[in-house]
mmCIF file of all heavy atoms in Angstrom:
data_model
loop_
_atom_site.group_PDB
_atom_site.id
_atom_site.type_symbol
_atom_site.label_atom_id
_atom_site.label_comp_id
_atom_site.label_asym_id
_atom_site.label_seq_id
_atom_site.Cartn_x
_atom_site.Cartn_y
_atom_site.Cartn_z
ATOM 1 N N THR A 1 0.825 -1.208 0.026
ATOM 2 C CA THR A 1 -0.023 0.010 0.000
ATOM 3 C C THR A 1 0.859 1.285 0.027
ATOM 4 O O THR A 1 0.311 2.359 -0.117
ATOM 5 C CB THR A 1 -0.950 0.006 1.215
ATOM 6 O OG1 THR A 1 -0.152 -0.144 2.409
ATOM 7 C CG2 THR A 1 -1.890 -1.154 1.154
ATOM 8 N N GLY A 2 2.158 1.133 0.171
ATOM 9 C CA GLY A 2 3.036 2.302 0.140
ATOM 10 C C GLY A 2 4.422 1.911 0.418
ATOM 11 O O GLY A 2 4.777 0.771 0.795
ATOM 12 N N PHE A 3 5.340 2.924 0.219
ATOM 13 C CA PHE A 3 6.809 2.724 0.468
ATOM 14 C C PHE A 3 7.230 3.587 1.642
ATOM 15 O O PHE A 3 6.700 4.719 1.806
ATOM 16 C CB PHE A 3 7.634 3.076 -0.759
ATOM 17 C CG PHE A 3 7.436 2.150 -1.911
ATOM 18 C CD1 PHE A 3 6.546 2.449 -2.965
ATOM 19 C CD2 PHE A 3 8.207 0.975 -2.021
ATOM 20 C CE1 PHE A 3 6.412 1.573 -4.046
ATOM 21 C CE2 PHE A 3 8.038 0.097 -3.091
ATOM 22 C CZ PHE A 3 7.131 0.397 -4.100
ATOM 23 N N ASP A 4 8.165 3.071 2.395
ATOM 24 C CA ASP A 4 8.841 3.865 3.451
ATOM 25 C C ASP A 4 10.133 4.386 2.871
ATOM 26 O O ASP A 4 11.110 3.664 2.710
ATOM 27 C CB ASP A 4 9.113 3.001 4.697
ATOM 28 C CG ASP A 4 9.799 3.752 5.814
ATOM 29 O OD1 ASP A 4 9.909 4.986 5.674
ATOM 30 O OD2 ASP A 4 10.223 3.114 6.797
ATOM 31 N N ILE A 5 10.074 5.644 2.476
ATOM 32 C CA ILE A 5 11.295 6.294 1.845
ATOM 33 C C ILE A 5 11.765 7.449 2.715
ATOM 34 O O ILE A 5 10.980 8.363 3.019
ATOM 35 C CB ILE A 5 10.918 6.789 0.409
ATOM 36 C CG1 ILE A 5 10.486 5.595 -0.457
ATOM 37 C CG2 ILE A 5 12.117 7.518 -0.213
ATOM 38 C CD1 ILE A 5 9.988 6.009 -1.825
ATOM 39 N N GLN A 6 13.030 7.387 3.080
ATOM 40 C CA GLN A 6 13.644 8.452 3.969
ATOM 41 C C GLN A 6 14.907 8.949 3.306
ATOM 42 O O GLN A 6 15.812 8.197 3.008
ATOM 43 C CB GLN A 6 13.938 7.874 5.328
ATOM 44 C CG GLN A 6 12.699 7.316 6.089
ATOM 45 C CD GLN A 6 13.102 6.623 7.368
ATOM 46 O OE1 GLN A 6 14.167 6.830 7.885
ATOM 47 N NE2 GLN A 6 12.206 5.771 7.890
ATOM 48 N N ASN A 7 14.912 10.284 3.087
ATOM 49 C CA ASN A 7 16.089 10.906 2.464
ATOM 50 C C ASN A 7 16.522 10.295 1.144
ATOM 51 O O ASN A 7 17.692 10.114 0.868
ATOM 52 C CB ASN A 7 17.266 10.906 3.446
ATOM 53 C CG ASN A 7 16.999 11.645 4.752
ATOM 54 O OD1 ASN A 7 16.312 12.698 4.740
ATOM 55 N ND2 ASN A 7 17.407 11.080 5.857
ATOM 56 N N GLY A 8 15.502 9.957 0.330
ATOM 57 C CA GLY A 8 15.793 9.342 -0.978
ATOM 58 C C GLY A 8 16.211 7.934 -1.001
ATOM 59 O O GLY A 8 16.662 7.404 -2.000
ATOM 60 N N GLN A 9 16.074 7.255 0.158
ATOM 61 C CA GLN A 9 16.479 5.857 0.268
ATOM 62 C C GLN A 9 15.281 5.045 0.735
ATOM 63 O O GLN A 9 14.615 5.386 1.693
ATOM 64 C CB GLN A 9 17.622 5.742 1.331
ATOM 65 C CG GLN A 9 17.983 4.318 1.726
ATOM 66 C CD GLN A 9 18.868 3.634 0.691
ATOM 67 O OE1 GLN A 9 19.725 4.241 0.150
ATOM 68 N NE2 GLN A 9 18.631 2.321 0.544
ATOM 69 N N VAL A 10 15.031 3.916 0.071
ATOM 70 C CA VAL A 10 13.922 3.062 0.516
ATOM 71 C C VAL A 10 14.310 2.296 1.773
ATOM 72 O O VAL A 10 15.446 1.821 1.892
ATOM 73 C CB VAL A 10 13.513 2.075 -0.642
ATOM 74 C CG1 VAL A 10 14.563 1.029 -0.862
ATOM 75 C CG2 VAL A 10 12.173 1.403 -0.324
ATOM 76 N N LYS A 11 13.383 2.266 2.712
ATOM 77 C CA LYS A 11 13.605 1.616 4.000
ATOM 78 C C LYS A 11 12.709 0.427 4.239
ATOM 79 O O LYS A 11 12.880 -0.359 5.120
ATOM 80 C CB LYS A 11 13.433 2.564 5.159
ATOM 81 C CG LYS A 11 14.403 3.751 5.139
ATOM 82 C CD LYS A 11 15.858 3.289 5.355
ATOM 83 C CE LYS A 11 16.833 4.479 5.415
ATOM 84 N NZ LYS A 11 18.217 4.052 5.616
ATOM 85 N N GLY A 12 11.680 0.288 3.363
ATOM 86 C CA GLY A 12 10.721 -0.790 3.526
ATOM 87 C C GLY A 12 9.436 -0.517 2.834
ATOM 88 O O GLY A 12 9.323 0.466 1.993
ATOM 89 N N VAL A 13 8.406 -1.305 3.084
ATOM 90 C CA VAL A 13 7.095 -1.126 2.466
ATOM 91 C C VAL A 13 6.022 -1.231 3.484
ATOM 92 O O VAL A 13 6.166 -1.855 4.537
ATOM 93 C CB VAL A 13 6.879 -2.164 1.363
ATOM 94 C CG1 VAL A 13 7.884 -2.046 0.220
ATOM 95 C CG2 VAL A 13 6.888 -3.619 1.903
ATOM 96 N N HIS A 14 4.894 -0.612 3.190
ATOM 97 C CA HIS A 14 3.652 -0.788 3.995
ATOM 98 C C HIS A 14 2.740 -1.755 3.259
ATOM 99 O O HIS A 14 2.533 -1.660 2.029
ATOM 100 C CB HIS A 14 2.918 0.561 4.163
ATOM 101 C CG HIS A 14 3.800 1.675 4.622
ATOM 102 N ND1 HIS A 14 4.440 1.659 5.881
ATOM 103 C CD2 HIS A 14 4.127 2.859 4.060
ATOM 104 C CE1 HIS A 14 5.136 2.757 6.010
ATOM 105 N NE2 HIS A 14 4.977 3.502 4.919
ATOM 106 N N THR A 15 2.240 -2.738 3.929
ATOM 107 C CA THR A 15 1.387 -3.796 3.313
ATOM 108 C C THR A 15 0.117 -4.002 4.114
ATOM 109 O O THR A 15 0.006 -3.466 5.247
ATOM 110 C CB THR A 15 2.155 -5.111 3.157
ATOM 111 O OG1 THR A 15 2.147 -5.795 4.441
ATOM 112 C CG2 THR A 15 3.578 -4.934 2.657
ATOM 113 N N THR A 16 -0.800 -4.756 3.523
ATOM 114 C CA THR A 16 -2.005 -5.103 4.232
ATOM 115 C C THR A 16 -1.789 -6.078 5.397
ATOM 116 O O THR A 16 -2.697 -6.336 6.140
ATOM 117 C CB THR A 16 -3.028 -5.690 3.245
ATOM 118 O OG1 THR A 16 -2.399 -6.815 2.537
ATOM 119 C CG2 THR A 16 -3.485 -4.689 2.193
ATOM 120 N N ARG A 17 -0.583 -6.599 5.475
ATOM 121 C CA ARG A 17 -0.225 -7.470 6.595
ATOM 122 C C ARG A 17 0.881 -6.846 7.449
ATOM 123 O O ARG A 17 1.639 -7.546 8.123
ATOM 124 C CB ARG A 17 0.243 -8.834 6.049
ATOM 125 C CG ARG A 17 -0.875 -9.580 5.324
ATOM 126 C CD ARG A 17 -0.432 -10.902 4.720
ATOM 127 N NE ARG A 17 -0.026 -11.881 5.723
ATOM 128 C CZ ARG A 17 0.349 -13.162 5.482
ATOM 129 N NH1 ARG A 17 0.290 -13.558 4.190
ATOM 130 N NH2 ARG A 17 0.705 -13.938 6.389
ATOM 131 N N GLY A 18 0.941 -5.532 7.461
ATOM 132 C CA GLY A 18 1.882 -4.829 8.327
ATOM 133 C C GLY A 18 3.055 -4.263 7.576
ATOM 134 O O GLY A 18 3.256 -4.506 6.348
ATOM 135 N N ASP A 19 3.835 -3.466 8.225
ATOM 136 C CA ASP A 19 5.015 -2.850 7.650
ATOM 137 C C ASP A 19 6.180 -3.879 7.620
ATOM 138 O O ASP A 19 6.341 -4.629 8.602
ATOM 139 C CB ASP A 19 5.461 -1.644 8.459
ATOM 140 C CG ASP A 19 4.455 -0.525 8.340
ATOM 141 O OD1 ASP A 19 3.539 -0.622 7.554
ATOM 142 O OD2 ASP A 19 4.596 0.509 9.104
ATOM 143 N N ILE A 20 6.949 -3.869 6.525
ATOM 144 C CA ILE A 20 8.090 -4.748 6.406
ATOM 145 C C ILE A 20 9.267 -3.881 6.021
ATOM 146 O O ILE A 20 9.274 -3.152 5.039
ATOM 147 C CB ILE A 20 7.881 -5.865 5.360
ATOM 148 C CG1 ILE A 20 6.569 -6.612 5.621
ATOM 149 C CG2 ILE A 20 9.021 -6.776 5.286
ATOM 150 C CD1 ILE A 20 6.187 -7.628 4.533
ATOM 151 N N LYS A 21 10.361 -3.965 6.818
ATOM 152 C CA LYS A 21 11.586 -3.244 6.435
ATOM 153 C C LYS A 21 12.441 -4.015 5.526
ATOM 154 O O LYS A 21 12.419 -5.268 5.468
ATOM 155 C CB LYS A 21 12.360 -2.943 7.743
ATOM 156 C CG LYS A 21 11.668 -1.972 8.722
ATOM 157 C CD LYS A 21 12.509 -1.695 9.932
ATOM 158 C CE LYS A 21 11.838 -0.771 10.897
ATOM 159 N NZ LYS A 21 12.607 -0.492 12.091
ATOM 160 N N ALA A 22 13.193 -3.293 4.712
ATOM 161 C CA ALA A 22 14.112 -3.942 3.736
ATOM 162 C C ALA A 22 15.188 -2.995 3.297
ATOM 163 O O ALA A 22 14.937 -1.813 3.205
ATOM 164 C CB ALA A 22 13.306 -4.492 2.507
ATOM 165 N N LYS A 23 16.377 -3.540 3.062
ATOM 166 C CA LYS A 23 17.473 -2.722 2.558
ATOM 167 C C LYS A 23 17.269 -2.388 1.075
ATOM 168 O O LYS A 23 17.680 -1.339 0.601
ATOM 169 C CB LYS A 23 18.787 -3.444 2.806
ATOM 170 C CG LYS A 23 19.121 -3.753 4.228
ATOM 171 C CD LYS A 23 20.445 -4.494 4.400
ATOM 172 C CE LYS A 23 20.764 -4.800 5.852
ATOM 173 N NZ LYS A 23 19.832 -5.767 6.428
ATOM 174 N N LYS A 24 16.743 -3.319 0.338
ATOM 175 C CA LYS A 24 16.520 -3.165 -1.117
ATOM 176 C C LYS A 24 15.126 -3.732 -1.469
ATOM 177 O O LYS A 24 14.702 -4.719 -0.876
ATOM 178 C CB LYS A 24 17.596 -3.862 -1.896
ATOM 179 C CG LYS A 24 18.989 -3.321 -1.724
ATOM 180 C CD LYS A 24 19.986 -4.104 -2.556
ATOM 181 C CE LYS A 24 21.411 -3.493 -2.415
ATOM 182 N NZ LYS A 24 22.418 -4.185 -3.271
ATOM 183 N N VAL A 25 14.514 -3.123 -2.478
ATOM 184 C CA VAL A 25 13.170 -3.526 -2.885
ATOM 185 C C VAL A 25 13.186 -3.582 -4.435
ATOM 186 O O VAL A 25 13.518 -2.611 -5.110
ATOM 187 C CB VAL A 25 12.031 -2.541 -2.451
ATOM 188 C CG1 VAL A 25 10.716 -3.042 -2.954
ATOM 189 C CG2 VAL A 25 12.061 -2.457 -0.930
#
């Protein structure tokens, strides 16, 4: 449902089953 992006760097994703962090997507 969305991306967690901080200072131009992806940090994870928002999903229907909760937030998931990731170094790369």
Side-chain angles (χ1 to χ4, degrees):
T1 57
F3 292 95
D4 179 9
I5 299 174
Q6 301 173 19
N7 301 319
Q9 170 80 38
V10 69
K11 298 294 184 181
V13 298
H14 309 300
T15 78
T16 53
R17 295 178 64 176
D19 293 350
I20 306 173
K21 294 181 180 180
K23 299 179 180 68
K24 296 180 178 181
V25 178

